[in-house]
């Protein structure tokens, strides 16, 4: 008997009606002869609502208490789905992350899974139960509730699939696969039948929130077949798999964008060894991740140093940087949290020159100024002003000839 892990995201479990539709998908999979583990998100908007409540309670809510709060969202949906399944005469059991020993490190709000003790789940499956697990949450060695970062239910699902040696991990969401760009921005975006782990990793880490980056990392590491599909309508979805020759022929697979970025600049800082370390160490010590970095060759033995962080960390990073600027004798600190990052991703880039130039020319033709650039072997990213986000993504999508037909965003998804 094969085992399928099915993950249902927020819109897919956004109401009891939707949860009933999810139960039908689970039951259909059971009828096809598979064992099923369902991993659920909180109802759409619920985690945001909880974050907002925390913000009303405290200016900077303590990260441990925040996790206790945020983990409640998923507890609601797992209980409801199990009830619906039981009502339809299927044995089902709901578990929080802690109850199935999803052990994480102790970094609250962005914990990483270190181990899963799968015994309990295996016993339930053997007893013909559908196991329904709360996504996004775990427990640290001290028994504290932790969460895995926004979108973390994807990662719970893939990690569960690895721990149970599942045959496939299916990520059900509100679009029917992975597209050449976010279909909510580019209506001509095309669903891909397949995409390589590596490209999906670049898309996800560049902001394509259809999958959490960590989930793709896990799937790649353990070669879990991963499929993204819609819970609203049937279809083959997109298979995330190992790269093959046909994929290599596509020059660019997709355009990703990220609205979560903010930019900080230290102006006229003395140019000497150790400057980058001195600027970025306090940022790293505050658990703030830095994305892009640009250091200019300066005049008068000084340099300008620019980097980007998550928008949520902008104020904290700015305060730290102001202190660093005083310590180092820099002239000025500036910040901008109205920027976005757009990336073109494709394994074909490895063997083709001129992609970057084509990208820069296309943006220039639209009068879009590029503020920062970074590249990897299969990705080119630029930072631009937020107001050009949509124009930028659409321009690049058509520049690289990615258009197709689209009837994909389900109206019910909102
Ligand atoms: P869920 O709640 O099911 O986890 P998410 O909102 O996290 O759903 O992810 C699905 C959304 O990802 C889609 O509604 C879509 O707007 C967005 N998205 C961004 N980039 C892409 C892409 N390249 N392909 C498909 N969806 C994308
Ligand atoms: N509910 C969490 C979030 O909104 C986790 C998830 O949906 O994946 O980020
Ligand atoms: Mg998601």
């Amino acid at each position: 008997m094969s085992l399928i892990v099915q993950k249902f995201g927020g819109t897919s479990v956004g109401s009891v009606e939707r949860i009933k539709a999810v139960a039908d998908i689970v039951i259909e999979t059971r009828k096809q002869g598979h064992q099923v583990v369902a991993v659920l998100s909180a109802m759409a908007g619920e985690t945001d609502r909880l974050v907002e409540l925390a913000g009303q309670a405290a200016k900077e809510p303590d990260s441990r208490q925040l996790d206790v709060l945020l983990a409640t969202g998923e507890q609601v949906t797992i209980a409801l789905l199990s009830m619906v399944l039981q009502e339809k005469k299927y044995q089902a059991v709901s578990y929080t992350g802690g109850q199935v020993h999803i052990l994480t490190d102790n970094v609250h709000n962005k914990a990483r899974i270190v181990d899963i003790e799968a015994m309990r789940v295996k016993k339930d499956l053997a007893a013909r139960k559908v196991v329904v697990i709360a996504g996004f949450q775990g427990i640290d060695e001290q028994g504290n509730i932790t969460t895995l970062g926004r979108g973390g239910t994807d990662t719970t699902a893939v990690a569960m699939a690895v721990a149970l040696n599942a045959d496939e991990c299916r990520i059900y969401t509100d679009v029917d696969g992975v597209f050449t760009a976010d279909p909510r921005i580019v209506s001509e975006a095309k669903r891909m039948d397949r995409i390589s782990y590596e490209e999906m990793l670049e898309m996800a880490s560049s902001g394509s929130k259809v999958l959490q980056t960590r989930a793709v990392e896990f799937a790649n590491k353990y070669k879990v077949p991963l499929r993204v599909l819609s819970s609203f309508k049937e279809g083959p979805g997109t298979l995330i798999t190992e790269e093959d020759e046909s994929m290599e022929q596509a020059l660019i697979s997709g355009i990703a964008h990220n609205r979560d970025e903010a930019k900080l600049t230290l102006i006229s800082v003395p140019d000497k060894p150790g400057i980058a370390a001195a600027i970025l160490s306090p940022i790293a010590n505050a658990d703030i991740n830095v994305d892009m970095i640009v250091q200019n060759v300066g005049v008068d033995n000084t340099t300008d140093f620019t980097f980007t962080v998550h928008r949520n960390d902008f104020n904290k990073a700015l305060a730290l940087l102001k202190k660093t600027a005083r310590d180092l004798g820099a002239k000025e600190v500036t910040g901008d949290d109205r920027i976005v990052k757009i990336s073109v991703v494709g394994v074909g880039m490895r063997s083709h020159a001129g992609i970057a130039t084509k990208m820069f020319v296309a943006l220039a033709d639209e009068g879009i100024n590029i503020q920062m650039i970074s590249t990897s072997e299969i990705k080119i990213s630029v930072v631009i002003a937020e107001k050009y986000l949509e124009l930028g993504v659409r321009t690049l999508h058509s520049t690289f000839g990615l258009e197709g037909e689209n009837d994909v965003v389900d109206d019910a998804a909102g």
Side-chain angles (χ1 to χ4, degrees):
M1 210 184 199
S2 53
L3 168 63
I4 311 280
V5 173
Q6 300 184 313
K7 177 260 172 174
F8 297 93
T11 36
S12 301
V13 295
S15 65
V16 175
E17 256 348 277
R18 289 299 311 151
I19 289 175
K20 287 181 178 168
V22 162
D24 290 340
I25 294 174
V26 169
I27 289 170
E28 183 54 35
T29 312
R30 274 293 295 266
K31 283 185 177 156
Q32 289 165 2
H34 306 293
Q35 294 179 320
V36 177
V37 171
V39 180
L40 304 192
S41 290
M43 288 184 175
E46 176 62 7
T47 310
D48 287 339
R49 189 185 74 88
L50 295 169
V51 169
E52 164 99 34
L53 282 182
Q56 289 174 28
K59 210 155 76 217
E60 283 210 23
D62 174 71
S63 60
R64 182 191 177 282
Q65 326 310 333
L66 188 60
D67 276 349
V68 173
L69 179 69
L70 296 190
T72 62
E74 273 68 14
Q75 205 166 322
V76 172
T77 52
I78 55 166
L80 292 172
L81 177 63
S82 303
M83 289 173 196
V84 171
L85 285 167
Q86 287 173 331
E87 191 74 6
K88 293 177 186 270
K89 304 289 179 254
Y90 277 78
Q91 290 188 70
V93 55
S94 55
Y95 289 124
T96 64
Q99 285 174 317
V100 285
H101 301 113
I102 298 179
L103 185 71
T104 72
D105 61 20
N106 60 4
V107 185
H108 285 290
N109 311 161
K110 42 185 166 190
R112 287 169 158 267
I113 297 175
V114 291
D115 193 29
I116 295 182
E117 167 55 67
M119 255 340 274
R120 192 166 180 177
V121 177
K122 282 184 179 156
K123 269 193 199 147
D124 288 325
L125 290 171
R128 298 193 48 75
K129 289 180 188 162
V130 175
V131 181
V132 185
I133 296 173
F136 175 57
Q137 55 179 266
I139 195 162
D140 72 5
E141 268 185 343
Q142 275 69 50
N144 297 300
I145 294 173
T146 54
T147 64
L148 310 180
R150 299 305 303 270
T153 304
D154 297 334
T155 301
T156 307
V158 177
M160 237 25 251
V162 172
L164 295 166
N165 201 11
D167 296 271
E168 190 170 297
C169 182
R170 297 183 184 159
I171 306 287
Y172 286 88
T173 183
D174 53 10
V175 287
D176 60 1
V178 179
F179 283 71
T180 47
D182 187 338
R184 292 181 201 284
I185 291 196
V186 183
S187 59
E188 296 86 12
K190 269 188 311 204
R191 180 182 60 81
M192 301 180 222
D193 286 325
R194 294 191 305 166
I195 179 172
S196 68
Y197 290 118
E198 201 186 356
E199 284 171 309
M200 191 63 236
L201 201 56
E202 291 281 18
M203 291 280 286
S205 65
S206 306
S208 297
K209 293 202 177 113
V210 63
L211 283 174
Q212 201 197 33
T213 307
R214 192 85 184 105
V216 189
E217 275 170 11
F218 256 119
N220 184 26
K221 186 164 170 197
Y222 297 98
K223 302 299 172 217
V224 182
L226 189 62
R227 195 179 286 279
V228 174
L229 57 187
S230 166
S231 69
F232 292 80
K233 69 178 208 191
E234 282 186 34
T238 299
L239 182 68
I240 294 106
T241 180
E242 293 203 81
E243 185 181 329
D244 68 21
E245 278 160 24
S246 66
M247 290 175 179
E248 250 168 299
Q249 283 153 18
L251 200 56
I252 298 299
S253 297
I255 314 292
H257 70 274
N258 190 349
R259 301 174 198 266
D260 291 339
E261 304 242 337
K263 184 178 86 166
L264 298 123
T265 303
L266 205 55
I267 296 171
S268 288
V269 55
D271 193 8
K272 58 183 185 202
I275 271 304
I279 295 169
L280 296 179
S281 295
I283 304 285
N285 292 340
D287 262 330
I288 299 173
N289 291 330
V290 170
D291 182 18
M292 290 161 101
I293 302 172
V294 173
Q295 186 184 345
N296 298 325
V297 182
V299 283
D300 315 329
N301 295 324
T302 71
T303 183
D304 294 347
F305 191 96
T306 302
F307 59 97
T308 63
V309 298
H310 194 287
R311 242 181 233 189
N312 291 349
D313 292 326
F314 178 63
N315 288 331
K316 205 162 146 194
L318 194 58
L320 287 168
L321 199 60
K322 282 185 176 156
K323 182 176 179 310
T324 307
R326 283 194 297 274
D327 295 348
L328 296 177
K331 189 168 150 208
E332 198 185 339
V333 175
T334 61
D336 184 356
D337 63 354
R338 299 266 82 93
I339 54 144
V340 291
K341 185 172 77 172
I342 302 186
S343 310
V344 300
V345 174
V347 286
M349 225 180 268
R350 281 200 196 107
S351 48
H352 285 81
I355 307 276
T357 313
K358 194 167 172 182
M359 177 180 187
F360 303 156
V361 168
L363 294 172
D365 284 348
E366 294 296 336
I368 300 174
N369 188 39
I370 298 171
Q371 302 180 14
M372 293 172 87
I373 301 169
S374 81
T375 60
S376 81
E377 208 190 2
I378 64 162
K379 181 185 76 176
I380 303 162
S381 305
V382 296
V383 165
I384 61 171
E386 186 176 32
K387 65 179 177 193
Y388 294 125
L389 169 69
E390 269 135 30
L391 179 63
V393 173
R394 286 183 193 135
T395 300
L396 294 176
H397 195 266
S398 73
T399 296
F400 290 103
L402 300 173
E403 303 91 336
E405 285 136 39
N406 176 47
D407 57 342
V408 288
V409 182
D410 197 288
D411 290 340

